[in-house]
Amino acid sequence: MITGSAIETMIAAEAERFAKAKPVSADRAKRAAAHWYRGVPFHWMLDWGTPFPLFVKEAKGAHLWDVDGQAFDDFCLGDTGAMFGHSPPPIAEAIAHQASRGLTAMLPGEDVVAVGDALASTFGLPWWQVTSSASEANRAVIRWCRGITGRDKILVFNGCYHGAVDDVFVDLRDGVAELRRSLVGQVYDVRDHTRVIEFNDRDALEAALAPGDVAAVLTEPALTNVGMVLPEPGFLDAMRELTRRFGTLLVFDETHTISTGHGGYSRTFGPSPDMFVLGKPVAGGVPAAVYGFTNEVAERMERVRASGEGGHSGIGTTLSANPLAMAAMRAALEHVMTPKAYDHMLPLAAQLEEQIRGVIRARGLGWHVTRVGARGEFICEDSAPRNGSEARMAMHGPLERAIHLFLINRGILIAPFHNMTLVCPATSQGQVDRLANALDDCLQTLTG
């Protein structure tokens, strides 16, 4: 059993240990606070639970070094942006080569043909477009779905996250839809155009689609942003059948579930969506994203385009598909995001899953461990959540902060959100062993 006092004691001790060991980061944090709002250039950099931000000096492969000289085994990997490792040589070389040959031109470059071929062969969809982020790709897909169906509503699942897209910031609280409390400056009620239901609820899905006014179901094949919620057997197939029955487009956002296997969750297990979004990892962490779609969707998009007029569509920016991003994307698809990479990542992630499960059992805890390919998570509850509401109830903020601080102080980074880990092609068995051993030490301290 882990008590509240044990958690408080660990947080206090580990925060003090961090502060003493990081004088250079402390100095950088103080100086940065002079001009950066809240002391950082982007607010997620504060989400690690440390007394002040950890400033990075270098990252390579599955390792990261801070400005105080400490080395870390990195199982966060930029929260998927570096899912195939930090600065893989093919991507670093492609960026360096392109950097002196032009960064943006609003014209296609020589990498375009190769990238299109690689996207189609890897993910099984014939048509593609490029944006600068998954948020932008999801926003574009929502607009296209509404445009080609003539319907104004989309459907999402409770606890979803699809980037900075206003339309999806709706939650269920005690079965009632409400605007997500973190949404800043929202001036209209997105619930007028967005329905939200629980994941794995087939009956609720059918009822939500039955009126025939939903343009798209937008979802991850397995939820990964509210903790990890796996689809129950048959749920995704039912989703595919119901969307077809009611004329709704099915969109899979695989920015995180690309961890499943080569081609993502849908290519590994099915079913195939109408549209597909992939963000951060597609260019190795260089800002870029793609969305793909079927022949039928492409034909419908063309009819919408032909019925309008040229000019500002609200889709994409002039930086989309810039030569630097395309060069990085080509290197990632051809040389980094390969079947061989998954042949290393998946067995090692399965090994990490079993080692963490063994540590939890050895300390007399009934916590659950789950995995989607190279992505794993331990959940501080006795059973796996089946929807967003259950996943939120399984979150224990102070306990998770204590664990994260303990691991950081021992040179191990896991994702600051929940207890999520990623294994990349550069991750070693030694790193997996160190994570499991450090977690064992942490739980031994917490349980007394």
Side-chain angles (χ1 to χ4, degrees), residues 251-274:
V251 183
F252 282 160
D253 179 353
E254 293 233 37
T255 297
H256 278 186
T257 55
I258 188 66
S259 64
T260 308
H262 192 245
Y265 196 106
S266 54
R267 200 79 196 273
T268 304
F269 297 120
S272 181
D274 299 300

Side-chain angles (χ1 to χ4, degrees), residues 142-152 154 167 193 215:
I142 289 170
R143 293 180 70 94
W144 275 120
C145 289
R146 285 172 168 159
I148 66 181
T149 63
R151 301 174 177 182
D152 70 324
I154 63 166
D167 303 75
H193 305 286

Side-chain angles (χ1 to χ4, degrees), residues 187-351:
V187 296
Y188 66 92
D189 194 334
V190 300
R191 292 173 296 183
D192 292 341
H193 305 286
T194 301
R195 290 192 183 128
V196 57
I197 62 172
E198 294 286 12
F199 199 66
N200 281 321
D201 190 337
R202 186 197 181 284
D203 292 341
L205 178 61
E206 182 170 6
L209 297 181
D213 57 355
V214 176
V217 171
L218 173 59
T219 186
E220 298 178 282
L223 302 187
T224 67
N225 282 286
V226 65
M228 193 177 291
V229 181
L230 302 183
E232 293 181 343
F235 179 66
L236 294 181
D237 289 330
M239 188 187 301
R240 177 68 282 184
E241 187 275 323
L242 288 169
T243 51
R244 284 189 174 133
R245 185 197 308 175
F246 293 111
T248 298
L249 295 168
L250 178 59
V251 183
F252 282 160
D253 179 353
E254 293 233 37
T255 297
H256 278 186
T257 55
I258 188 66
S259 64
T260 308
H262 192 245
Y265 196 106
S266 54
R267 200 79 196 273
T268 304
F269 297 120
S272 181
D274 299 300
M275 303 187 79
F276 173 103
V277 171
L278 176 60
K280 293 175 283 193
V282 73
V286 173
V290 295
Y291 60 98
F293 39 96
T294 63
N295 284 319
E296 180 187 356
V297 169
E299 291 170 1
R300 297 173 73 179
M301 289 167 66
E302 188 61 16
R303 288 197 293 271
V304 169
R305 190 202 62 78
S307 66
E309 61 182 40
H312 306 99
S313 65
I315 294 172
T317 68
T318 55
L319 285 177
S320 297
N322 66 78
L324 191 70
M326 297 302 287
M329 200 181 303
R330 179 176 182 177
L333 289 165
E334 292 184 347
H335 303 295
V336 177
M337 192 186 299
T338 63
K340 183 179 179 180
Y342 285 96
D343 288 344
H344 173 83
M345 294 157 63
L346 301 186
L348 193 57
Q351 176 67 27

Side-chain angles (χ1 to χ4, degrees), residues 49-134:
T50 54
F52 46 82
L54 182 74
F55 277 70
V56 177
K57 181 177 182 180
E58 184 181 354
K60 182 71 174 176
H63 289 90
L64 180 148
W65 292 265
D66 70 10
V67 293
D68 287 282
Q70 183 178 3
F72 293 87
D73 295 322
D74 190 0
F75 291 89
C76 174
L77 298 170
D79 190 34
T80 307
M83 198 187 89
F84 297 92
H86 294 289
S87 297
I91 296 177
E93 292 164 9
I95 292 170
H97 177 69
Q98 183 61 47
S100 63
R101 301 169 65 242
L103 302 179
T104 187
M106 208 176 70
L107 289 167
E110 60 184 351
D111 291 316
V112 164
V113 174
V115 171
D117 289 346
L119 288 169
S121 63
T122 301
F123 301 107
L125 290 169
W127 300 104
W128 294 86
Q129 290 281 272
V130 177
T131 66
S132 298
S133 69

